[in-house]
Amino acid sequence: MAQLWGGRFTKETDAQVYAFNASIDFDKRLYRQDIEGSVAHATMLQRQGILTEPERQAIVDGLRSILADVESGKLSIDSKYEDIHSFVEANLIDRIGDAGKKLHTGRSRNDQVALDMRLYTRDQVAAVDELLKDLLGVILQTMEENLETYMPGFTHLQKAQPTTLAHHYGAYFEMFKRDRLRMKDIYTRMNYCPLGAGALAGTTYPLDREMTAELLGFAGPTLNSMDSVSDRDYLIEFLAALSTVMMHLSRFSEEIIIWNSNEYQFVEIDDAYSTGSSIMPQKKNPDIAELVRGKTGRVYGALMSLLTTMKGIPLAYNKDMQEDKEMAFDAMDTVQDCLALFTGMLATMKFKKDRMAASAMNGFTNATDAADYLVGKGVPFRDAHGIIGRLVLYCIDRNTSIDALSLEELKSISDRFEDDIYDAISLKTCVEKRLTIGAPGPDAMKKVIAIHKAYLEDETDIFA
Ligand code: ARG
């Protein structure tokens, strides 16, 4: 296969070298971006008087016909080309002849690939944001429906204080909302166009970089041509943000796996999102949650890989940077699959509210409230803590709970206990009294839910 750069060479590339060097097998997914960038470049070249109008027309028509044929399956992106840029250019020249040979005027594959990758990533950022928004919608709905669904809150995976399902889900709402804010932030920072940077030092043609930037929907051109061709920061930022999304999904998955276990039975994952065992007929396994948890590793891997690839690269373009693609693509695909499946699993999952409430009632989740009750009766908190500690021991010895003790038994430990203790440490009271913003009390939760609703409904779409 003749290379774009064959002129200076007297020998064919060694076949193994060719295969090692080629990127077509993975950069073929950039075909749309490559064509879109070329259409903008040709349009600008004509407006600047570098191409004639008939040349521009032939190039744009040729590029559009290549795009249509690739999308319809009529033209397949063949591995015999070195990369997607060579594929498009060679096909263009085949189709329109000499005019096609002028497309690469004032351009290098270095700024071309920088553009293609940025355009592709920009769409991916928007797509991930959309999936995060869907997930937040499902989380918010569960919150609204479960303001009084009691469950234990844990620290050290030990029952700590009672809370509600709405409150527990609210923690994940915060995480995925921050993930969306990261997407927005990355999008804003990356939305500058590297096209026109040339190989590294700009070009001698009177290119209008503002024009191509505008045609391609960027906020403006990048301001240093060396940085333009060698910057992959935006991709690193995106992979870091995707890693954080996966970390959140993985934590949530872990909780669902625990909740779905035979011991907990807080939830039941829908049959459509579970799988069975080939040997154990009783099994219904939470494979989707486990796979989401498991796939977190490969997304972190993509981030580590690119950080490591970039760390020793002198300015400007070096071939190392071709390694930015495979793992990053894999990470983008993985996160989108995980988000879509996880959202579906969550939307169909059933809660066993009685078991959740029963679990919140035992395990002394009301011990803090019992201590607070004594504080209300004038006992200093540190003393109250000690009294309730002894009370807990008393209960453990008798295999019972604080609220099941008689007033006499309670009084035998502290004479400050009165009849109103039972109401003070009921599950409902324990939750309802937690009224500071951010706490599980239903009135506090309602305020937060209203904020979340406004956020999901009113947000102006910066990705449009
Ligand atoms: N396949 C290359 C990449 O992905 C395209 C840029 C090639 N530039 C070059 N000077 N060889 O980075």
Side-chain angles (χ1 to χ4, degrees), residues 29 120 124 242 328-339:
R29 72 159 82 190
Y120 185 85
Q124 295 286 306
L242 291 182
F329 290 154
D330 180 78
M332 296 174 196
D333 295 347
T334 300
V335 172
Q336 287 174 71
D337 283 353
C338 287
L339 277 169

Side-chain angles (χ1 to χ4, degrees), residues 196-247:
L200 76 159
T203 75
T204 54
Y205 297 95
L207 305 186
D208 185 341
R209 294 195 57 216
E210 276 80 9
M211 187 192 298
T212 37
E214 201 189 319
L215 288 171
L216 292 165
F218 287 102
T222 51
L223 297 183
N224 181 286
S225 59
M226 286 183 117
D227 180 55
S228 307
V229 290
S230 62
D231 169 34
R232 297 292 182 275
D233 287 6
Y234 66 89
L235 193 54
I236 290 173
E237 287 185 35
F238 186 38
L239 291 173
L242 291 182
S243 295
T244 307
V245 169
M246 289 306 293
M247 182 266 289

Side-chain angles (χ1 to χ4, degrees), residues 81-329:
Y81 299 96
E82 180 186 341
D83 55 28
I84 189 61
H85 326 297
S86 317
F87 166 82
V88 173
E89 197 174 315
N91 272 279
L92 184 68
I93 294 168
D94 270 1
R95 288 178 187 215
I96 67 164
D98 277 354
K101 295 184 183 167
K102 295 192 174 180
L103 171 63
H104 210 53
T105 312
R107 192 175 68 172
S108 157
R109 278 186 296 165
N110 296 352
D111 60 343
Q112 201 177 348
V113 77
L115 172 70
D116 293 2
M117 204 50 194
R118 209 177 269 241
L119 285 172
Y120 185 85
T121 306
R122 192 175 68 173
D123 286 349
Q124 295 286 306
V125 173
V128 169
D129 182 74
E130 199 55 41
L131 287 165
L132 284 166
K133 190 173 183 182
D134 294 345
L135 174 57
L136 285 175
V138 170
I139 293 176
L140 189 60
Q141 188 175 341
T142 305
M143 289 172 72
E144 288 184 271
E145 291 166 2
N146 291 283
L147 284 171
E148 288 174 29
T149 303
Y150 302 121
M151 65 183 286
F154 297 85
T155 61
H156 313 272
L157 208 51
Q158 312 254 359
K159 288 180 193 177
Q161 290 173 350
T163 184
T164 64
L165 180 58
H167 188 237
H168 199 115
Y169 263 45
Y172 287 103
F173 192 99
E174 298 298 326
M175 292 180 231
F176 295 117
K177 180 179 173 186
R178 286 195 293 273
D179 287 332
R180 286 195 78 201
L181 294 173
R182 271 184 274 276
M183 295 305 147
K184 195 165 164 177
D185 188 38
I186 293 166
Y187 194 99
T188 311
R189 197 172 13 260
M190 75 178 286
N191 201 22
Y192 292 89
C193 184
L195 190 62
L200 76 159
T203 75
T204 54
Y205 297 95
L207 305 186
D208 185 341
R209 294 195 57 216
E210 276 80 9
M211 187 192 298
T212 37
E214 201 189 319
L215 288 171
L216 292 165
F218 287 102
T222 51
L223 297 183
N224 181 286
S225 59
M226 286 183 117
D227 180 55
S228 307
V229 290
S230 62
D231 169 34
R232 297 292 182 275
D233 287 6
Y234 66 89
L235 193 54
I236 290 173
E237 287 185 35
F238 186 38
L239 291 173
L242 291 182
S243 295
T244 307
V245 169
M246 289 306 293
M247 182 266 289
H248 293 152
L249 285 176
S250 184
R251 292 181 74 176
F252 208 166
S253 294
E254 169 68 6
E255 299 217 272
I256 288 169
I257 292 162
I258 293 173
W259 293 346
N260 187 64
S261 69
N262 301 135
E263 277 65 30
Y264 274 73
Q265 294 181 47
F266 282 8
V267 298
E268 179 161 4
I269 298 175
D270 196 77
D271 277 4
Y273 287 88
S274 311
T275 51
S277 158
S278 60
I279 176 168
M280 297 167 283
Q282 83 282 13
K283 283 279 205 166
K284 189 173 144 188
N285 296 326
D287 289 34
I288 297 307
E290 290 171 13
L291 268 174
V292 168
R293 188 179 59 183
K295 284 178 188 290
T296 304
R298 62 202 284 169
V299 178
Y300 290 4
L303 171 63
M304 286 307 134
S305 165
L306 186 57
L307 279 169
T308 312
T309 295
M310 295 303 293
K311 82 180 234 312
I313 302 185
L315 291 175
Y317 179 84
N318 295 260
K319 197 62 176 257
D320 318 38
M321 290 165 70
Q322 179 165 292
E323 285 298 308
D324 64 351
K325 295 181 192 63
E326 281 167 285
M327 291 184 76
F329 290 154

Side-chain angles (χ1 to χ4, degrees), residues 23 26 58 79 119 136 182 294 345 370 380 383 398 417:
S23 52
F26 47 87
S79 297
L119 285 172
L136 285 175
R182 271 184 274 276
M345 178 182 71
D383 293 342
R398 287 157 186 78
F417 284 116

Side-chain angles (χ1 to χ4, degrees), residues 413-456:
I413 304 228
S414 166
D415 59 7
R416 302 294 180 95
F417 284 116
E418 310 277 349
D419 226 14
D420 55 354
I421 175 66
Y422 298 104
D423 184 49
I425 61 171
S426 77
L427 208 47
K428 192 170 161 63
T429 313
C430 289
V431 170
E432 273 175 7
K433 277 198 327 215
R434 290 179 153 74
L435 276 177
T436 49
I437 199 81
D443 289 345
M445 284 299 310
K446 279 180 199 157
K447 288 182 199 147
V448 170
I449 285 173
I451 294 170
H452 290 345
K453 273 195 129 158
Y455 160 72
L456 282 185

